[in-house]
Amino acid sequence: GEVSGPDVDTTIKEQFDSSFVAGARFGAWFLESSTHGGWIGFGIDLAYYKLLPETIDMEIVVVPIVATLMFRYPGKYFQPYLGAGFGLFIGDADGDLSDFGLTSNFDSISVDLGWGLRAGFAFPLHKRAALFCEYRLDGFHQEHSDDHFWNEDTFEYDAMVHYGLAGISLRF
């Protein structure tokens, strides 16, 4: 990421530690194939995760909202699928940038565009339920700014976040 302020302009190559992830998708499948659902789908993907920099005392909570176009094989016992889309990435950065000569109580919310890729498979249990496992890859750029009287401190970064989700799919 890049940290900048009135007298500071620093670029840092940063890695992020792992964090808890939760997610959901609301959508529908189209082009029905017998009784196993459609080939093409559209969904709104939601997730919640934290970016925890290894060397900067900061926590960034990210909530992506991604409109996703999906393709799947609607098999009876196994349903692999792929998806891709674009959306909004809401980031809330809180931390201490005093090591860089900036504020010790940095706090900023940023809403930016990004993209998401999905790959997974479902094992239908019933017409209305399935077990699923999914890999997600999100990419986005965010710039956070925090005004302190006469100074504006900024923290910006490019993120490539990958994570897995598993659970139960409910189909209505």
Side-chain angles (χ1 to χ4, degrees), residues 47-112:
Y48 170 94
Y49 50 82
K50 293 180 182 179
L51 300 179
L52 304 168
E54 291 180 349
T55 61
I56 300 173
D57 184 16
M58 181 169 287
E59 176 181 280
I60 306 164
V61 173
V62 179
V63 177
I65 304 168
V66 179
T68 306
L69 180 63
M70 300 175 294
F71 302 93
R72 76 169 174 183
Y73 172 74
K76 184 174 181 179
Y77 301 108
F78 180 69
Q79 298 175 340
Y81 59 89
L82 297 171
F86 294 94
L88 296 176
F89 286 75
I90 304 164
D92 182 5
D94 295 305
D96 181 355
L97 298 178
S98 60
D99 289 347
F100 302 98
L102 303 174
T103 182
S104 62
N105 57 347
F106 186 88
D107 185 16
S108 172
I109 294 177
S110 181
V111 179
D112 301 279

Side-chain angles (χ1 to χ4, degrees), residues 26-44:
F26 302 95
W29 292 100
F30 308 103
L31 300 178
E32 294 290 323
S33 166
S34 67
T35 60
H36 308 299
W39 287 83
I40 297 175
F42 176 78
I44 301 296

Side-chain angles (χ1 to χ4, degrees), residues 107-147:
D107 185 16
S108 172
I109 294 177
S110 181
V111 179
D112 301 279
L113 293 176
W115 53 266
L117 299 175
R118 280 68 174 117
F121 51 86
F123 296 102
L125 302 173
H126 182 272
K127 183 178 178 181
R128 302 280 180 217
L131 295 177
F132 77 92
C133 186
E134 180 174 299
Y135 171 80
R136 291 184 178 183
L137 177 65
D138 292 337
F140 56 97
H141 172 87
Q142 289 200 315
E143 182 173 333
H144 293 271
S145 296
D146 193 4
D147 292 327

